[in-house]
Amino acid sequence: MLTIDYKELTVSDGMENWERELIEKAKDALSGSYSPYSHFRVGAAVLLENGEVITGSNQENGAYPSGLCAERVALFYAGSKYPNVPIKAMAVVASSGDGITKNPISPCGACRQVMLEYQNISKKAYPVYMVGENKIIRVSDVKDLLPFSFTNVDDVDNTK
């Protein structure tokens, strides 16, 4: 049986200051979104173990699917700039109008795979905060977002 460990929160649910600040950075990242086609803005913020916060926003392109999601923009920059620094936490927020979406959005499959890759590199789980206007969903391990993930083919026993 598959169980997914998550918790529904509100900002007033005893969250620590660093968690609230990370969520605010993800909201601030919405302003950098280039989304003239979908009009769906996404912001992400990645907190690294060294205290650095890297933000990203979705970047669309007329030559679809050449754009990139906010989560991967932030993760790829963090991995390039700080290749050996583990991720402490990540927050994702979206807007399809004047404010953030009522309910949290979850990362797409490609982003989930990249998130898991960075978790596997550091061998350390990190929480992901998916933020909506009315609630926040927190998973404490990226594996909960991608339970049947792609693994290194060298690790797979395909002799059966």
Side-chain angles (χ1 to χ4, degrees), residues 21-37:
E21 290 171 10
L22 183 65
I23 289 169
E24 287 305 312
K25 298 259 186 191
K27 289 178 182 177
D28 291 345
L30 289 168
S31 66
S33 170
Y34 178 70
S35 48
Y37 307 103

Side-chain angles (χ1 to χ4, degrees), residues 141-158:
D141 188 324
V142 175
K143 289 178 182 176
D144 285 324
L145 291 175
L146 193 60
F148 297 106
S149 62
F150 180 79
T151 59
N152 183 333
V153 294
D154 293 335
D155 294 340
V156 176
D157 179 4
N158 57 8

Side-chain angles (χ1 to χ4, degrees), residues 66 84 89 94 104 118 158:
S66 296
N84 299 313
Y118 280 99
N158 57 8

